[in-house]
Amino acid sequence: MRQTYDLQKESLMSHPVPSAVPRSIPAPVRRGDPGFLGRPEMAEVADGVFAYVQPDGGWCLNNAGLIVSGHRAALVDTAATEARARALRTAVLSLTPTVPQVLINSHSHGDHTFGNFVFPEALVVGHERTRAEVTATGLHLTGLWPDVEWGALEIVPPALTFRDRLTLHIGDKVAEIMHLGIAHTTNDSVIWLPEERVLFTGDVVMNGVTPFCPMGSVAGSLDALAAMRALRPEIVVPGHGPVGRADLFDETEGYLRLLRSLARQGVAEGIDPVSLARQTDLGPYGRWLDAERLVPNLFRAYAEEQGEARGSHVDMGEMFRRMVEYHGGVPTCHA
Ligand SMILES: [Zn+2]
């Protein structure tokens, strides 16, 4: 971890750039590289702004972020297992003189929040429904993959909550934490650094990984994408997959629009979502990780097509079972 940072720092020192200009997108680790799945990378994407990327970005292999200014630091999200969260802590402490004082949760899902307890010094901040969901769902996610070594997890929900937005000052850096409506879940926040033009999207955007919105909304995800696009970020740190740029919005939008037209057709022709998924060729989106998410995504798209409210309650257990049926087994989780 330290090595990655030092190497990058050296090359940056020989090519100084103004601090407000985003520096670089780290080269993505390629699938098939030795140790690919077990090798998270911390990379500086702008002055004092880091992305922590856990390849390959599939189920429960999420990204985190770190914002450092002077002796102040804020963390964006954690990791799914105790071991992964502790590895994140080690990576963070190799970069900052102090432990992060603030930890922002982009949403309630366990891959982003289970590691909160590994940062007891930090005030955990999140949307008010993030707190409610973290508290209500507890360790439910661990039951979907009982073979994963989750470690001795303790649930720590956000202690400071907000409804619409919050401005966080980290030394001389400013982070706008914004709820852009129901999208990937009912409680997503994006973290926007206007000076550095870096956007942490949480799971509303992924890179090379299939979007997942059964708990949120297809229409809401499209609205959130429009709002994020309007920010004109130069660096986009997705919730899963490699760091990218604003074209990630276009790719995500393309998938969501396909989803919506499929659901329109499915509802009109009276085909159930699993059957429709079986006869669908996803084209380029079929190469994304976790393509089986088509089934739960279609369930949500169908519900919206039939007038169901965004983020309305769904039986996730049932949806997961239908996805497993379509996939021919429980999808692999490398957490
Ligand atoms: Zn998520």
Side-chain angles (χ1 to χ4, degrees), residues 25-203:
I25 293 185
V29 181
R30 287 188 306 276
R31 273 170 217 173
D33 281 359
F36 170 61
L37 283 166
R39 203 173 58 204
E41 299 221 333
M42 179 78 89
E44 191 168 23
V45 295
D47 183 36
V49 183
F50 300 83
Y52 184 77
V53 175
Q54 299 194 95
D56 59 358
W59 290 102
C60 297
L61 289 176
N62 65 302
N63 297 336
L66 178 69
I67 304 156
V68 182
S69 177
H71 290 277
R72 309 296 294 173
L75 187 65
V76 177
D77 286 334
T78 56
T81 68
E82 181 183 3
R84 286 187 174 276
R86 294 205 186 280
L88 170 63
R89 185 177 171 99
T90 302
V92 166
L93 292 180
S94 74
L95 295 175
T96 59
T98 54
V99 182
Q101 297 89 12
V102 177
L103 196 180
I104 308 153
N105 284 151
S106 65
H107 64 294
S108 55
H109 285 160
D111 43 346
H112 299 258
T113 59
F114 280 169
N116 286 358
F117 80 102
V118 167
F119 296 88
E121 307 87 349
L123 175 69
V124 183
V125 176
H127 188 267
E128 59 185 10
R129 281 195 296 265
T130 301
R131 179 180 168 85
E133 283 292 321
V134 164
T135 307
T137 53
L139 295 173
H140 176 261
L141 182 68
T142 61
L144 299 178
W145 284 284
D147 294 338
V148 167
E149 289 187 25
W150 297 97
L153 298 173
E154 293 166 37
I155 294 293
V156 178
L160 177 65
T161 65
F162 64 94
R163 191 163 298 166
D164 298 313
R165 62 188 292 166
L166 203 60
T167 303
L168 179 67
H169 296 266
I170 308 137
D172 60 8
K173 293 195 188 307
V174 174
E176 301 287 355
I177 309 169
M178 297 180 281
H179 172 61
L180 301 177
I182 293 168
H184 166 65
T185 64
T186 58
N187 61 90
D188 307 288
S189 298
V190 302
I191 295 89
W192 168 230
L193 283 80
E195 184 68 24
E196 292 78 9
R197 309 208 71 74
V198 175
L199 181 69
F200 292 92
T201 66
D203 285 0

Side-chain angles (χ1 to χ4, degrees), residues 2 53 221 233 289:
R2 163 75 91 172
V53 175
S221 295
L289 284 179

